Structures are given as structure tokens and as C-alpha cells.
């Protein structure tokens, strides 16, 4: 018998959970402005998430998926992307969306059930938040095909949860992206849980990154709580995509330190001790320690930063709460170019509410 294929999956990490370098940092990490900007964006995301959960709890917003503990994945990739790239987000990417230019008010509006929350004033070509699990992977592959067809020098980034990697949509998107050598980066936010289903019950594969091998391209694991590693891996993958060398799959290992969404109670299936030990690895403290150790940050700056963000978030919340309501027909108004006849009754019903 002969071996016809072999593969390996590499793991990228620069800072340990205490913020101490375990290998030489990538070049961009010598620029303290970049490190500070990554840090600030993670803090902003955490404060925003806490406020959004509070709004839901007080009946002022719909269901919300916090990214508590996973801020480094969104922020690292958001920083690596160029403005002209295209983002097809899933529902836990607010940290990256802010960096793309989506406003806090728009994200609040989206989770408040307002269609205007998907009509970004900022990145006009980025996709709206995808809630149907893994559907965004197909959008990303389709978009990447268009980019290649038009010979444009940009790339698409999409994200998916660990549970999403069990879906047909994920495999189909990866398969075609590999076959057509498309400029797309798939990022798995492996937070260990798909609502109450733990990773071990989700799949028998040793890594999720190796799912790329079957599609014919490279998969890599990164410490998803190390924003430097995420930023570096995504930047490398985007460079490869733009140079015509095809897709990459990045599995970012992290942990969901919160309920799945505000509609869930994680205490029913996650032991408190699991969460407590996962807090040791959380991403913000790690970079904070590094910055403090290198005299790049101080307690006073931390206070000032949090104060500034609180004011920014409060202003976005008031804007959101003061948005004039949309007509009821807006639920359907933007979906179709030409109106399907089977929806006419519903449209009329909604119209009647608006005209009452
Ligand atoms: C097609 C589809 N099926 C089921 C759901 C219900 N659902 C919402 S989130 C979720 C779990 C997703 O877990 P994972 O992909 O690991 O992402 P995470 O939420 O943990 O970030 C499910 C099953 C859905 N939104 N879409």
C-alpha cells in the first residue's frame, strides 16, 4: 500500500494568555499605533455588546448575539481587510463591522427588527448580517467569482461558526471556491458551541481547518483570542487571494463567554467551571497586559477610553431609540425586484396596517 496524500495543519499564536510573546511578533506588531487600535476596537466591541444585551433585557431591542470573549476574531480580521474588500458577515461580527464603517445605530436597528439596519451608509458593497447558518459562505463564493471574472484586485471575507461548518452550504461554498481558485477567505469562529451542541458532538474531525484540504486549499488554525495572530493569518490569506492563489480557511479557536443569544440560557448546558477557566484565555486582558508591560498604555488612558466609548454608545442608542418607525410593509419591501404573486395577500395585509 502507498500513501497518496498527506497533510498538516499549522497553529498560529504569538501571545500567551498572559500577554507574553511566545515567538517573534509579525512586523505590523512593531507599530504601537496598530496594536493600540486593535485594543481599542476590542474594548469598544465589548462595551457595545454589554449595552445591546441590556437594551434587549429592558425590552428595547430584539434578540442579540453577543461576541463576549470572541472580540479578537472580529477585530483582527476587520483590521486586516482593505476597504475595497467585501465582507459577508454572520451574526457575531459587530467588531469587524464597526471597522468596516457600519454604525452602531445600524447594528442596533438591525437587531431591533428595522430593515434600515442592513442598508449601511458605510460599506455599500458589504453584505447584511446573515442569520441562516452558513448561507453567507455561498454569498462569499459567488462574490469572489464575480471579482475574479471582472479581474478586480480585491477579495471576499466570510465568517461562520463551528456549528455552521456541518452545513451543506459551507461545504458547497468551499468546494466551488477551491475548484475555481477564487479570492475568498473563510474564517471559522470556533467558539466551541453551536447553541447547546458542543464541538465534540458536532463533528469527529480533529480540526475544522482540515476541512479545507478536501476542497483543495490550505487550512490553518489560529489562537482566536490572540488578535495579533488573527490579524496576521487573515492578512496572509488576503494577500494570497489577491495574488491569484485562491482561498484559505482559517479556524480561529476561541470560547463563547456568554449565552448564545439573549434568547438562550447557557447555564443549562455549560458548567460554570468551564466558563471560569475559559476566562483565563480571553483576548482583551492578553493584549492589555502586553501593552502595559511595554509602557504603551496606562490606567488613566484605559479610563478615558471607556468613558469616551460609553458616550459614543449612549449617543448611538438614543439615535436608535429615536428612529421614526418604518411602515409595516418594510418587512417585505426590499426582498424582490418584481413582486411574487403568492405574497400579494400578505403585502395587502401589511399595507392595511400602514393605512389604518
Ligand atoms: C439554516 C439555519 N438552521 C438553524 C438555525 C438556528 N440557529 C441559529 S444559531 C445556531 C447555531 C450556530 O452555531 P455556530 O455555527 O457554532 O455559531 P455560534 O452561534 O456559536 O457563533 C442555530 C442552529 C439558523 N439560524 N439557520
Amino acid at each position: 500500500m502507498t500513501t497518496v496524500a498527506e497533510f498538516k495543519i499549522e497553529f498560529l499564536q504569538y501571545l500567551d494568555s498572559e500577554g507574553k510573546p511566545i515567538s517573534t511578533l509579525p512586523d505590523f506588531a512593531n507599530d504601537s499605533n496598530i496594536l493600540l487600535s486593535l485594543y481599542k476596537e476590542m474594548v469598544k466591541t465589548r462595551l457595545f455588546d454589554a449595552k445591546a444585551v441590556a437594551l434587549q433585557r429592558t425590552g428595547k431591542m430584539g434578540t442579540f448575539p453577543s461576541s463576549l470573549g470572541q472580540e479578537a476574531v472580529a477585530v483582527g480580521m476587520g483590521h486586516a481587510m482593505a476597504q475595497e474588500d467585501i465582507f459577508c458577515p454572520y451574526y457575531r461580527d459587530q467588531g469587524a463591522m464597526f471597522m468596516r464603517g457600519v454604525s452602531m445605530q445600524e447594528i442596533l436597528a438591525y437587531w431591533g427588527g428595522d430593515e434600515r439596519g442592513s442598508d449601511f451608509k458605510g460599506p455599500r458593497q458589504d453584505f447584511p448580517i446573515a442569520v441562516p447558518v452558513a448561507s453567507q459562505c455561498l454569498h462569499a463564493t459567488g462574490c469572489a467569482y464575480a471579482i475574479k471574472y471582472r479581474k478586480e484586485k480585491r477579495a471576499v471575507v466570510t465568517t461562520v461558526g463551528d456549528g455552521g461548518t456541518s452545513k451543506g452550504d459551507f461545504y458547497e461554498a468551499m468546494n466551488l471556491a477551491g475548484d475555481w481558485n477564487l479570492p475568498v477567505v473563510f474564517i471559522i469562529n470556533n467558539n466551541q458551541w453551536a447553541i447547546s451542541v458542543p464541538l465534540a458532538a458536532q463533528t469527529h474531525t480533529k480540526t475544522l481547518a482540515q476541512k479545507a484540504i478536501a476542497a483543495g486549499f490550505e487550512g490553518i488554525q489560529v489562537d482566536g483570542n490572540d488578535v495579533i495572530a488573527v490579524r496576521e493569518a487573515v492578512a496572509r490569506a488576503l494577500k494570497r487571494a489577491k495574488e491569484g492563489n485562491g482561498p484559505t480557511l482559517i479556524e480561529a479557536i476561541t470560547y463563547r463567554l456568554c449565552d448564545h443569544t439573549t434568547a438562550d440560557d447557557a447555564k443549562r448546558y455549560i458548567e460554570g467551571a468551564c466558563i471560569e477557566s475559559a476566562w483565563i484565555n480571553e483576548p482583551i486582558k492578553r493584549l492589555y497586559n502586553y501593552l502595559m508591560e511595554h509602557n504603551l498604555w496606562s490606567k488613566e488612558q484605559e479610563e478615558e477610553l471607556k468613558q469616551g466609548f460609553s458616550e459614543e454608545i449612549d449617543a448611538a442608542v438614543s439615535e436608535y431609540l429615536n428612529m421614526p418607525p418604518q411602515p409595516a410593509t418594510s418587512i417585505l419591501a426590499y426582498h424582490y425586484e418584481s413582486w411574487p404573486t403568492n405574497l400579494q395577500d400578505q403585502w395587502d395585509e401589511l399595507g392595511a396596517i400602514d393605512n389604518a
Side-chain angles (χ1 to χ4, degrees):
M1 203 151 61
T2 51
T3 303
V4 291
E6 277 182 316
F7 64 89
K8 62 177 179 355
I9 298 297
E10 284 175 324
F11 178 74
L12 191 65
Q13 181 192 9
Y14 293 102
L15 296 184
D16 70 10
S17 58
E18 291 300 316
K20 298 217 167 19
I22 55 166
S23 56
T24 312
L25 300 191
D27 282 350
F28 79 81
N30 295 322
D31 183 338
S32 55
N33 286 329
I34 295 184
L35 290 186
L36 287 170
S37 122
L38 292 169
Y39 180 72
K40 290 174 187 176
E41 292 294 335
M42 289 197 291
V43 172
K44 177 165 53 172
T45 305
R46 186 164 292 185
L47 294 176
F48 173 84
D49 277 0
K51 187 69 176 189
V53 170
L55 281 175
Q56 189 280 336
R57 297 285 187 242
T58 49
K60 297 192 178 96
M61 206 176 60
T63 308
F64 181 76
S66 168
S67 63
L68 182 64
Q70 304 170 217
E71 295 88 349
V73 182
V75 167
M77 78 183 153
H79 197 277
M81 289 179 73
Q83 199 55 48
E84 67 272 16
D85 294 334
I86 295 178
F87 189 35
C88 298
Y90 90 137
Y91 47 76
R92 230 181 272 285
D93 284 329
Q94 42 276 18
M97 293 174 75
F98 293 148
M99 298 173 85
R100 304 284 302 149
V102 178
S103 72
M104 291 181 180
Q105 182 210 356
E106 285 167 332
I107 292 181
L108 294 172
Y110 176 87
W111 295 109
D114 190 318
E115 297 295 329
R116 287 169 292 183
S118 295
D119 187 16
F120 313 139
K121 283 170 202 66
R124 296 296 297 173
Q125 295 197 338
D126 280 8
F127 277 53
I129 293 169
V131 170
V133 169
S135 56
Q136 67 281 4
C137 300
L138 295 168
H139 306 153
T141 292
C143 242
Y145 176 75
I147 284 176
K148 186 169 177 173
Y149 182 76
R150 295 174 183 165
K151 299 191 171 48
E152 294 171 349
K153 205 154 180 65
R154 53 187 184 152
V156 186
V157 173
T158 190
T159 47
V160 64
D162 40 292
T165 67
S166 299
K167 294 285 291 180
D169 285 6
F170 172 76
Y171 286 106
E172 290 170 34
M174 295 258 294
N175 184 57
L176 205 61
D179 193 24
W180 290 355
N181 200 40
L182 299 178
V184 53
V185 182
F186 299 94
I187 300 171
I188 303 167
N189 209 316
N190 180 357
N191 64 14
Q192 313 301 324
W193 293 91
I195 312 187
S196 57
V197 178
L199 187 63
Q202 181 76 239
T203 176
H204 199 54
T205 194
K206 194 163 180 185
T207 70
L208 297 175
Q210 75 201 54
K211 294 192 176 196
I213 307 302
F217 54 90
E218 193 180 318
I220 179 175
Q221 258 193 357
V222 299
D223 184 327
N225 293 336
D226 177 0
V227 71
I228 296 177
V230 176
R231 203 273 182 198
E232 177 65 9
V234 179
R236 284 184 201 170
L238 281 169
K239 185 166 181 287
R240 178 180 308 131
K242 289 177 200 179
E243 285 171 352
N245 296 319
T248 306
L249 175 64
I250 297 171
E251 176 188 1
I253 311 284
T254 179
Y255 198 90
R256 198 187 82 211
L257 290 168
C258 49
D259 293 332
H260 168 72
T261 65
T262 48
D264 174 51
D265 177 8
K267 286 196 284 298
R268 296 179 61 180
Y269 53 87
I270 305 183
E271 299 266 338
C274 282
I275 299 250
E276 278 153 35
S277 59
W279 269 102
I280 293 169
N281 287 319
E282 71 95 0
I284 296 188
K285 180 197 71 186
R286 187 181 301 208
L287 190 54
Y288 175 86
N289 286 350
Y290 180 86
L291 294 172
M292 292 297 262
E293 181 70 30
H294 291 78
N295 295 321
L296 296 169
W297 196 239
S298 67
K299 291 202 163 119
E300 296 72 44
Q301 284 170 305
E302 179 81 7
E303 279 307 305
E304 220 177 289
L305 182 77
K306 287 185 171 160
Q307 181 60 29
F309 283 149
S310 296
E311 287 166 18
E312 194 185 327
I313 293 165
D314 285 348
V317 169
S318 331
E319 262 184 86
Y320 156 68
L321 293 175
N322 291 323
M323 284 172 85
Q326 283 279 76
T329 43
S330 71
I331 298 170
L332 297 177
Y334 310 106
H335 288 180
Y336 301 97
E337 192 179 58
S338 55
W339 197 245
T341 48
N342 65 333
L343 287 179
Q344 192 63 47
D345 286 353
Q346 291 183 46
W347 177 261
D348 292 345
E349 227 174 280
L350 291 167
I353 297 173
D354 290 333
N355 294 325

